[in-house]
Amino acid sequence: MPSNTLPPLSCLCLLLAAAALGCAEEPPSQPEGWDRAVALRPARDLDDRPEVVEVDLTAKVADVEIVPGTATPAWTYDGGIPGPLLRARAGDRVIVHFRNELAAPTTIHWHGVRLQAAMDGAPGHSQPETPPGGSFTYDFVVPDAGLFWYHPHVDSAVQSGNGLYGALLVDDPGEPADLGDELVLVLSDIDVREDGALGDPASGGNLGTVFGREGSHLLVNGRVNPVIEARAGLRQRWRVVNAAKSRYYQLALADHRFTRIGGDGGLMERPVEADMLLVAPGERADVLVAPRGAPGATLSVRWVPYDRGYGSTFARPEVEAFRIHLAEAPEAEDQPLPEIARSIQALDPAAARRVDLQLTQREGPGDLEMGINGVPSWEAEPLVAAVGDTEVWTVENTMAFDHPFHLHGFFFQVLGDDGLPVRPMEWKDTVNVPVDGATRFVVRYDNRPGMWMFHCHILDHAEAGMMGMLNVTQ
Ligand code: C2O
Ligand code: CU
Ligand code: CU
C-alpha cells in the first residue's frame, strides 16, 4: 500500500526538527584563538616516523620583553622563555640535538623522565658539561605519560633563573577523552631591573641564598599577566609545571574550585578537589577548572603567598598571575566529568631498606653552606643501592624553611603517618618537606643502574650544597 512506503507526516516533521536542532546546537567551544596569549611554541619534529620525536635545541642569549619597551638579554632555549614545547606519546623515542651557544658550560636534565642515567644531564656522571660552542645528543624513550620538563644542571640557580627551562608533554592515547581544553602552563619568575637588565643572581648574599631568590616578575609561559579567552562554564585542563628556581606557586581563582587529577607522574588514582593549587618548585599538577561568571567578565588567577618558612609571607601581597576573559556567549551547560581512575600498585614499605637524610646548613666564615647529613654535595659520599631494591627514605628538615626534595630518575610514593602510601596514590619525583617536619617516601629502583642526583629544588639551596648522589648498582 502506498501509504506504508512513506513515513507519516508527523514523523517527517520530527526528523526535520531534529536535523535543524542538530545544526543549531554545535557543542560549545572555546573562543577562536582563546589560548593565543600563552600558547607555547611547539618544537619542530624533524623525523616523520610517528614514534620518534627528533628536534634541534639551542641554548643562547636572546632578547625577550619582560618590562614593557625594554629588552632583557635572557638565557633561552631557541630564543624564547620558556623553551619550545616538546610533545610525544608514551613509549616514543625522543632525540634532541642540543647546541650550546652560551658563554658558559651547561647540560640538559629531563626532570621526571625514567631514562638511562647516561641521558640524565648530571655533569660528571651522565656526561661531561657541554662547553660553549659544544653539542650533545640526548636520545631516550619516554615510558610514562605526564608533564615533564627540562632545565640545565650546571650552575642551575643562575641558568634556570636567567630563563632556561621548557616543558615536555607525554600523552597517553588511552586516557579518557573530553577532560577539557588543554593548556600547558609553565609557571616561573625572573629577576629583571627597570632598565631591562637581568638582576644579580647573588643578590642578598647568604640571606638571599637561605631564603631562595625569587624574581621580580611572575611569568606564565614567559608572559607577564597574560589574558586567556574562555567560554564560561566550559572545562579547561591545565597542565602546570613550576619552573621557578625558588618561588612556590599557590594559585587561587575566587569562587572556583580546582579538580586535581594528576601530578608529577601522570594521573592519580582518583581526582581530589581543592580551593587552591599549590605547586612547589619542580612539581607538576594536572587540574580541571571551569571558569564561570557573567559574559564579558574578567577573572583573576592570583598568586597567593604560601608560608614556606620564616618570614616568607611577611608583608607580601597577592599578585595577579594571569587573567581569564569570558566571551560574550552564555555559560555552557555542565559537561559530565569522564570517569578518571588509575590503578596504581602500592609499593610495600615493610620489606624496604631505610635511608635517613637530614637537610642541614653549616654556618661558618664566608659563604653559607647547605647540605645533607651535615655535608655539602662536594664533600658527600654517594648512597649505594642495587637494581631491584625497595627503599624507604625519611627526609628530615632541620631548618626554618621548607625544601622541595627531588630525586632523579625514579618515581616514589609518599607515605603518610601510618607508614602507607598516601591516598589517592600518585607517582611523584618532587615533594615538599615542611619546616621542622619530615617527609617519607618509598621508591623501587627498576633496571636503570647509574649515578642519580637528589637535591632541594630551591636551586639556590642545591647550588649551596643541598644535593647528593645515589649509586644504583647492577
Ligand atoms: Cu629538576 Cu636535578 O632537577
Ligand atoms: Cu630532576
Ligand atoms: Cu631547600
Side-chain angles (χ1 to χ4, degrees):
M1 287 223 282
S3 59
N4 282 348
T5 59
L6 282 173
L9 197 58
S10 58
C11 257
L12 256 178
C13 285
L14 275 177
L15 277 174
L16 286 172
L21 262 180
C23 291
E25 292 235 333
E26 294 234 322
S29 61
Q30 304 292 352
E32 175 80 36
W34 67 291
D35 63 348
R36 199 176 290 135
V38 293
L40 293 168
R41 299 163 298 143
R44 196 161 71 87
D45 187 355
L46 306 170
D47 189 305
D48 48 23
R49 283 172 294 175
E51 73 289 356
V52 180
V53 176
E54 183 171 12
V55 303
D56 287 330
L57 192 68
T58 301
K60 59 180 179 191
V61 172
D63 282 344
V64 298
E65 189 175 325
I66 307 286
V67 174
T70 70
T72 294
W75 295 29
T76 72
Y77 291 117
D78 284 3
I81 299 179
L85 173 65
L86 273 61
R87 188 156 202 165
R89 280 173 313 177
D92 283 357
R93 178 176 168 202
V94 174
I95 304 166
V96 178
H97 302 286
F98 173 62
R99 264 210 332 273
N100 181 11
E101 292 182 2
L102 300 167
T106 191
T107 63
I108 303 183
H109 168 58
W110 305 91
H111 183 127
V113 179
R114 290 192 301 133
L115 38 57
Q116 300 299 317
M119 293 292 132
D120 195 47
H125 300 288
S126 305
Q127 62 168 109
E129 295 178 350
T130 303
S135 55
F136 189 87
T137 295
Y138 296 90
D139 187 343
F140 53 89
V141 168
V142 285
D144 306 295
L147 179 63
F148 302 92
W149 64 296
Y150 57 97
H151 63 79
H153 230 291
V154 177
D155 202 7
S156 60
V158 171
Q159 298 199 0
S160 285
N162 287 349
L164 289 173
Y165 38 81
L168 163 60
L169 183 59
V170 182
D171 292 311
D172 171 4
E175 86 188 359
D178 304 331
L179 287 174
D181 296 297
E182 193 167 67
L183 275 181
V184 178
L185 297 175
V186 179
L187 307 178
S188 64
D189 64 9
I190 191 165
D191 204 32
V192 175
R193 305 189 321 219
E194 273 313 298
D195 64 359
L198 286 169
D200 174 8
S203 63
N206 284 346
L207 206 62
T209 301
V210 76
F211 190 90
R213 296 176 181 87
E214 296 184 0
S216 53
H217 292 72
L218 269 70
L219 299 180
V220 176
N221 291 359
R223 277 76 146 201
V224 177
N225 201 0
V227 184
I228 294 162
E229 303 293 329
R231 171 78 184 266
L234 207 56
R235 193 163 55 231
Q236 299 187 3
R237 180 184 187 187
W238 295 354
R239 314 291 305 260
V240 177
V241 50
N242 183 351
K245 65 176 174 175
S246 292
R247 181 186 293 271
Y248 282 53
Y249 262 89
Q250 182 166 248
L251 292 179
L253 176 56
D255 304 322
H256 287 70
R257 282 169 77 74
F258 298 103
T259 304
R260 191 161 83 83
I261 63 171
D264 299 347
L267 296 178
M268 308 165 70
E269 269 187 310
R270 58 182 161 76
V272 288
E273 297 263 317
D275 289 323
M276 288 209 276
L277 179 63
L278 177 64
V279 194
E283 282 187 315
R284 282 86 73 209
D286 190 348
V287 294
L288 308 181
V289 62
R292 292 177 193 284
T298 298
L299 312 179
S300 177
V301 181
R302 287 161 305 124
W303 176 89
V304 178
Y306 163 73
D307 186 0
R308 62 178 174 87
Y310 189 73
S312 57
T313 56
F314 179 71
R316 305 193 76 197
E318 295 185 9
V319 183
E320 193 170 68
F322 61 100
R323 283 172 283 169
I324 301 173
H325 176 252
L326 300 177
E328 291 294 342
E331 190 166 301
E333 270 173 49
D334 275 348
Q335 315 101 55
L337 190 63
E339 159 98 10
I340 301 166
R342 176 179 179 191
S343 91
I344 293 178
Q345 173 90 53
L347 297 177
D348 182 11
R353 301 179 3 160
R354 312 272 137 175
V355 175
D356 291 302
L357 300 181
Q358 287 193 330
L359 306 178
T360 50
Q361 83 181 86
R362 191 154 85 180
E363 309 272 2
D367 282 347
L368 171 85
E369 279 182 359
M370 301 178 89
I372 294 176
N373 290 349
V375 286
S377 51
W378 48 90
E379 289 174 18
E381 288 295 320
L383 306 178
V384 181
V387 160
D389 281 357
T390 301
E391 290 188 328
V392 168
W393 290 36
T394 302
V395 184
E396 192 192 334
N397 189 355
T398 68
M399 289 178 59
F401 283 97
D402 284 19
H403 301 282
F405 186 86
H406 169 51
L407 172 63
H408 283 208
F410 302 94
F411 288 121
F412 50 76
Q413 293 171 355
V414 175
L415 301 176
D417 290 336
D418 59 0
L420 297 173
V422 171
R423 308 303 288 257
M425 276 190 279
E426 63 176 313
W427 292 110
K428 288 188 66 61
D429 55 53
T430 307
V431 62
N432 193 49
V433 186
V435 172
D436 286 330
T439 294
R440 276 188 303 165
F441 60 77
V442 56
V443 57
R444 187 184 164 275
Y445 309 117
D446 58 83
N447 189 16
R448 285 170 305 113
M451 279 286 198
W452 303 95
M453 306 182 97
F454 51 87
H455 56 89
C456 177
H457 224 290
I458 290 181
L459 297 176
D460 282 311
H461 293 180
E463 294 300 336
M466 196 176 279
M467 191 150 60
M469 303 295 306
L470 165 71
N471 186 6
V472 177
T473 58
Q474 187 58 270

